[in-house]
């Protein structure tokens, strides 16, 4: 095989080298075999097989219903709709009829009756019925899965330490990975700040996403090398390549060990400017990594992952214990609990699937919480009850678009506080409440928002997505995802200034915070806190300790005069080369190189179109 076909270029999203066997996960859509039945007895058998699949789906739905918290009535209703759909004449009756009349297998017959039902439903005037099309699909998929006998756990077959190769891995799947068996992660889809990438980073698994052809090109069971820094994958590596990457792996690990020794000191520049460096975590288990790497608090706890990892909605008691333990484990440091940020790519099994054309612009995050108020209140109750344990919990609302939405969220919080007061259940009345700045409208009214909260935290992952107008998880437009876009830097500056005018601290908790290359910029922008994946803390603290605030301020002034992200990147490269050359050598100019690779890809894409 020639070199060109042995190398795949993707987006390196979690640094580190993995060398090992590829395990290609074949989890595409449900395969629907289309076969003819050859005799009358088999027709009866096929009808019975279909009947059994329907009954199993009914039982599973009933089971799910029993496990849903009674407060969450809407979800129960939805499951009931799915149960009704299963026995609907258009689907149930039609499928049996097709099997009997046309002597075809159950899956084929079901797919055909589903298509017909979908068509019927969509053409009706009744908006309610039209909106049930997605439910028809969901109920049908459940039966198809039963007919195919599909395994629910995609990782079940993994018996040794492997590099997992998949078309896509949902954030919920990623959080369930057995990371002792996962050497590395490679996916066709995704971008640098997609949540799968975030989980890989926090689990410290080298990962590459957006490597479009990987599931097609990587042969199952073969040895591959994955470089999570440069985004390069080598199939069938030579002896020399293996020994080169093995020594690089050792070098990176030694460097990390060396700088981690100093990571427990507070972050402070050479000219005595202090700021906080905190950790972003998704699961309680990551507290160990946060502490080991020198976190000075939890700047972002993505509470939704606890909801995504399970089949059923967790109840208030479970949440209360989870949050309380978290607070006690981190005491006396702060723990920032962000309220549920579900929706878009962050879905849960128990959660009603919404059919949205534009989920990133849809019912997600705080909007979803304000829509499903019982769910929101349940989480707030659990957080408030846990807040008395060590009085170190901070609350943060995500994706707030303006003052109106913030006041509404605060109103719900007040209602829950009043309810607890009435029931004489204690909570921390001084718990700080903050807001994430993640959409341009929030930046525009940051001065107004600042009057209503105790702190800001800038979520650049979303802020970049919404300012530039690109999907953060879409590999095709990943080259446009530019943290150094002048618009993004201006937005950060405006937010910091608005926060400081109102005398509230401003943190940054997007993935940008953990990118060592951006340290000079983030210091110069005068953020009070940087919150990042735990593994990035030692590198970032090391660079902060070797920087001067004065120089960084001058640097930011210069950078803000540049008109493109590329020019700002070059400036950064210059300063890094002068001050921290070993970072550039060790990490192969990571972000910069990745950008260059993506631009090459963009050109390739055009050429392919032309030919
Ligand atoms: C962000 O958007 O920057 C952020 C921290 O939140 P999340 O990545 O969970 O959307
Ligand atoms: Mg966000």
């Amino acid at each position: 095989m020639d070199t060109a076909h042995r190398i795949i270029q993707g987006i390196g999203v979690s640094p580190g080298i993995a060398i090992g066997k590829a395990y290609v996960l074949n989890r595409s859509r449900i395969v629907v075999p289309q076969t003819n039945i050859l005799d009358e007895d088999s027709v009866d058998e096929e009808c019975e097989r279909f009947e059994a699949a329907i009954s199993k789906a009914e039982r599973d739905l009933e089971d799910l219903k029993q496990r849903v918290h009674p407060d969450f009535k809407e979800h129960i209703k939805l499951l009931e709709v799915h149960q009704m759909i299963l026995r609907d004449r258009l689907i149930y009756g039609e499928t049996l009829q097709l099997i009997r009349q046309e002597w075809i297998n159950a899956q084929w017959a079901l797919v055909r009756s589903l298509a017909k039902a979908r068509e019927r439903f969509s053409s009706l005037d009744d908006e309610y019925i039209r909106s049930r099309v997605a439910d028809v699909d969901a109920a049908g998929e459940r039966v198809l899965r039963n007919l195919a006998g599909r395994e629910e756990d995609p990782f079940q077959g993994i018996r040794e330490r492997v590099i997992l190769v998949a078309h896509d891995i949902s954030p919920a799947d990623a959080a369930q990975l057995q990371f002792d068996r996962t050497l590395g992660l490679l996916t066709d889809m995704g971008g640098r700040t997609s949540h799968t990438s975030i989980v890989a980073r926090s689990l410290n698994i080298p990962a590459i996403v957006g490597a479009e052809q990987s599931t097609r090109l990587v042969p199952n069971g073969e040895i591959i090398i994955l470089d999570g820094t440069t985004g390069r994958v080598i199939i069938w590596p030579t002896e020399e390549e293996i020994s080169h990457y093995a020594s690089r792996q050792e070098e990176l690990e030694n460097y990390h060990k060396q700088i981690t020794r100093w990571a427990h000191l507070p972050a402070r520049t050479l000219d005595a400017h202090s700021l906080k460096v905190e950790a972003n975590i998704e699961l309680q288990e990551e507290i160990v990594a946060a502490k080991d790497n020198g976190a000075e608090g939890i700047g972002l706890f993505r509470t939704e992952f606890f909801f995504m990892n399970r089949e059923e909605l967790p109840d208030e008691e479970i949440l209360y214990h989870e949050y309380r333990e978290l607070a006690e484990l981190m005491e006396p440091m702060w723990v920032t609990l962000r309220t549920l940020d579900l929706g878009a790519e962050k879905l849960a099994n128990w959660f009603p699937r919404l059919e949205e054309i534009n989920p990133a612009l849809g019912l997600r995050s705080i909007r979803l919480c304000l829509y499903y108020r019982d769910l929101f209140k349940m989480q707030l109750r659990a957080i408030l009850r846990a807040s008395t344990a060590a009085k170190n919990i901070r609350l943060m609302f995500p994706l707030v678009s303006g003052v109106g939405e913030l006041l509404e969220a605060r109103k719900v919080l007040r209602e829950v506080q009043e309810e607890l007061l009435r029931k004489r259940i204690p909570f921390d009345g001084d718990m700080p409440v903050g807001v994430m700045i993640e959409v341009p409208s929030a930046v525009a009214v940051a001065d107004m928002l600042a009057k209503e909260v105790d702190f800001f935290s800038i979520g650049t992952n979303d802020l970049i997505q919404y300012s530039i107008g690109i999907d953060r998880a879409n590999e095709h437009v990943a080259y446009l995802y530019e943290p150094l876009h002048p618009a993004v830097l201006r937005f950060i500056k405006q937010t910091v200034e608005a926060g400081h005018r109102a005398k509230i601290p401003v943190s940054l908790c997007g993935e940008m915070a953990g990118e060592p290359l951006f340290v000079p910029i983030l210091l110069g922008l005068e953020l009070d806190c940087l919150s990042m994946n735990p593994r990035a803390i030692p590198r970032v603290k090391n660079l902060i300790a070797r920087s001067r605030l004065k120089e960084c301020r001058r640097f930011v002034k210069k950078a803000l005069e540049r008109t493109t992200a590329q020019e700002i990147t070059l400036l950064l490269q210059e300063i890094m080369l002068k001050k921290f050359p070993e970072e550039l050598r060790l990490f192969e100019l990571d972000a910069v190189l990745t950008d260059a690779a993506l631009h090459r890809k963009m050109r390739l894409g055009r050429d392919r179109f032309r030919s």
Side-chain angles (χ1 to χ4, degrees):
M1 192 180 223
D2 59 62
T3 318
H5 288 97
R6 285 199 309 115
I7 310 237
I8 307 175
Q9 184 67 48
I11 309 165
V13 293
S14 179
I17 309 279
I19 305 174
K21 250 191 208 174
Y23 184 91
V24 184
L25 203 68
N26 198 354
R27 198 166 51 128
S28 47
R29 295 186 164 278
I30 304 167
V31 180
V32 179
Q34 301 188 348
T35 51
N36 286 99
I37 298 170
L38 303 175
D39 56 74
E40 209 148 359
D41 285 350
S42 305
V43 168
D44 287 339
E45 274 171 29
E46 200 60 14
C47 289
E48 279 162 26
R49 203 166 73 84
F50 176 64
E51 183 64 50
I54 290 273
S55 304
K56 177 166 181 341
E58 279 177 330
R59 279 196 310 277
D60 290 347
L61 284 166
E62 195 53 45
D63 234 35
L64 267 178
K65 252 171 58 188
Q66 301 305 326
R67 283 183 281 155
V68 172
H69 194 280
D71 279 355
F72 210 43
K73 294 183 199 79
E74 288 212 36
H75 186 42
I76 298 179
K77 259 194 255 155
L78 191 98
L79 295 173
E80 278 164 359
V81 169
H82 286 200
Q83 280 179 319
M84 262 152 47
I85 290 172
L86 291 176
R87 292 284 177 188
D88 190 288
R89 188 180 43 81
L90 278 177
I91 293 155
Y92 177 73
E94 181 85 16
T95 305
L96 284 174
Q97 199 177 346
L98 278 170
I99 299 173
R100 292 206 176 283
Q101 280 176 354
E102 300 198 17
W103 287 30
I104 57 175
N105 68 329
Q107 280 109 310
W108 189 1
L110 176 59
V111 165
R112 279 177 54 184
S113 51
L114 284 171
K116 209 160 145 189
R118 211 180 292 127
E119 213 173 284
R120 284 259 193 96
F121 278 31
S122 319
S123 66
L124 290 176
D125 275 343
D126 186 328
E127 179 147 359
Y128 175 76
I129 296 188
R130 271 207 314 270
S131 70
R132 299 265 72 118
V133 171
D135 298 318
V136 169
D137 286 338
E141 205 171 286
R142 189 175 281 280
V143 184
L144 280 173
R145 231 182 291 135
N146 290 345
L147 285 166
R150 205 165 77 103
E151 280 177 0
E152 279 305 327
D153 177 3
F155 309 124
Q156 230 169 42
I158 302 176
R159 305 257 179 270
E160 55 190 325
R161 282 162 67 75
V162 292
I163 298 177
L164 204 61
V165 185
H167 180 60
D168 190 19
I169 291 182
S170 74
D173 282 345
Q176 275 177 3
L177 279 180
Q178 296 176 302
F179 46 106
D180 50 332
R181 292 208 186 144
T182 315
L183 293 168
L185 210 60
L186 171 64
T187 64
D188 293 343
M189 293 178 61
R192 194 171 166 72
T193 53
S194 60
H195 288 95
T196 304
S197 310
I198 290 171
V199 178
R201 266 195 295 280
S202 60
L203 297 177
N204 196 19
I205 298 173
I208 295 175
V209 301
E212 285 168 66
Q213 304 279 341
S214 58
T215 43
R216 203 174 61 77
L217 293 175
V218 175
N220 194 27
E222 289 296 333
I223 299 287
I224 61 171
I225 297 176
L226 180 152
D227 184 341
T229 307
T230 59
R232 201 174 304 134
V233 183
I234 306 180
I235 311 174
W236 288 299
T238 60
E239 292 273 329
E240 293 86 66
E241 282 165 336
I242 293 184
S243 91
H244 167 76
Y245 278 94
S247 57
R248 210 171 118 60
Q249 193 175 29
E250 210 184 304
E251 194 182 11
L252 286 173
E253 270 158 26
N254 285 340
Y255 178 69
H256 188 79
K257 261 191 222 140
Q258 191 193 326
I259 55 172
T260 306
R261 278 197 232 130
W262 310 106
H264 293 273
L265 296 174
R268 185 199 288 258
T269 60
L270 288 169
D271 47 355
H273 170 72
S274 297
L275 73 162
K276 282 233 148 122
V277 174
E278 298 184 335
N280 293 352
I281 62 170
E282 286 77 44
L283 308 164
Q284 204 194 89
E285 293 83 323
E286 291 170 69
I287 284 217
V288 180
K291 284 188 164 176
D292 284 354
N293 283 293
E296 298 162 56
I298 301 297
L300 167 65
F301 181 61
R302 292 184 163 97
T303 60
E304 58 279 3
F305 277 76
F306 190 73
F307 287 70
M308 287 152 59
N309 279 343
R310 49 192 63 226
E311 281 299 314
E312 71 238 55
L313 173 72
D315 67 21
E316 188 185 316
E317 279 316 295
I318 296 182
L319 293 179
Y320 161 66
H321 288 292
E322 166 83 6
Y323 301 152
R324 195 187 162 107
E325 245 170 66
L326 199 69
E328 284 170 348
L329 286 169
M330 282 308 289
E331 190 185 0
M333 294 184 266
W334 284 108
V335 173
T336 315
L337 294 183
R338 174 176 75 181
T339 57
L340 276 179
D341 189 29
L342 281 171
E345 61 167 351
K346 287 190 273 192
L347 302 168
N349 279 346
W350 50 267
F351 189 69
R353 233 196 281 170
L354 301 165
E355 210 42 46
E356 294 180 300
I357 292 178
N358 247 324
L361 300 180
L363 194 62
R364 62 167 291 212
S365 206
I366 191 72
R367 307 163 186 182
L368 184 138
C369 283
L370 290 173
Y371 187 76
Y372 294 112
R373 289 211 181 194
D374 291 343
L375 173 68
F376 191 29
K377 283 190 168 176
M378 176 186 75
Q379 187 186 33
L380 290 175
R381 260 195 312 272
I383 293 176
L384 281 167
R385 284 173 56 200
S387 66
T388 49
K391 292 202 185 276
N392 61 341
I393 290 185
R394 278 187 300 218
L395 183 75
M396 179 160 84
F397 297 124
L399 212 83
V400 166
S401 61
V403 177
E405 210 168 22
L406 170 65
L407 292 182
E408 195 58 30
R410 291 211 74 138
K411 189 176 124 210
V412 180
L413 177 66
R414 222 172 22 253
E415 283 168 14
V416 176
Q417 287 171 327
E418 280 160 11
E419 180 195 327
L420 293 181
L421 276 176
R422 271 198 309 280
K423 294 183 179 161
R424 296 178 190 278
I425 298 174
F427 60 88
D428 176 9
D430 298 323
M431 178 178 67
V433 176
V435 75
M436 287 193 73
I437 303 291
E438 304 188 88
V439 288
S441 60
V443 178
V445 296
D447 55 330
M448 300 172 182
L449 287 168
K451 292 187 186 132
E452 308 292 338
V453 288
D454 302 305
F455 65 95
F456 277 164
S457 189
I458 308 177
T460 41
N461 303 339
D462 277 312
L463 186 59
I464 298 169
Q465 141 164 291
Y466 295 119
S467 335
I468 304 179
I470 52 137
D471 178 349
R472 65 193 255 192
N474 183 334
E475 67 279 13
H476 304 298
V477 286
Y479 66 93
L480 282 175
Y481 196 88
E482 292 175 323
L484 297 179
H485 192 297
V488 175
L489 299 185
R490 283 184 182 186
F491 280 171
I492 298 175
K493 185 167 183 280
Q494 280 173 34
T495 308
V496 173
E497 285 170 355
H500 288 176
R501 270 198 301 273
K503 301 205 169 15
I504 60 166
V506 183
S507 167
L508 191 147
C509 65
E511 293 307 294
M512 244 184 121
E515 176 53 72
L517 191 67
F518 298 154
V519 165
I521 288 247
L522 299 178
L523 271 177
L525 282 167
E526 314 222 12
L527 287 143
D528 304 293
C529 169
L530 299 177
S531 191
M532 62 199 72
N533 78 78
R535 180 82 178 175
I537 294 175
R539 271 177 79 192
V540 169
K541 274 195 168 179
N542 172 41
L543 298 195
I544 291 176
R546 294 157 60 198
S547 304
R548 280 180 205 283
L549 178 66
K550 244 174 148 177
E551 275 175 16
C552 294
R553 278 192 190 132
R554 271 204 303 273
F555 175 74
V556 163
K557 199 159 172 275
K558 216 155 112 186
L560 286 169
E561 284 160 10
R562 298 293 192 269
T563 53
T564 65
Q566 283 72 24
E567 286 174 59
I568 301 172
T569 308
L570 285 177
L571 266 189
L572 259 181
Q573 218 171 310
E574 247 172 57
I575 193 172
M576 295 295 285
L577 202 61
K578 204 161 86 193
K579 303 204 70 138
F580 316 113
E582 81 294 342
E583 275 283 321
L584 291 193
R585 187 188 61 79
L586 264 171
F587 295 93
E588 297 192 6
L589 295 170
D590 42 4
V592 184
L593 272 185
T594 309
D595 266 354
L598 286 165
H599 280 99
R600 266 202 310 279
K601 188 173 111 185
M602 192 172 64
R603 276 205 307 275
L604 273 178
R606 289 213 199 98
D607 291 345
R608 239 185 284 143
F609 179 70
R610 222 182 286 139
S611 62

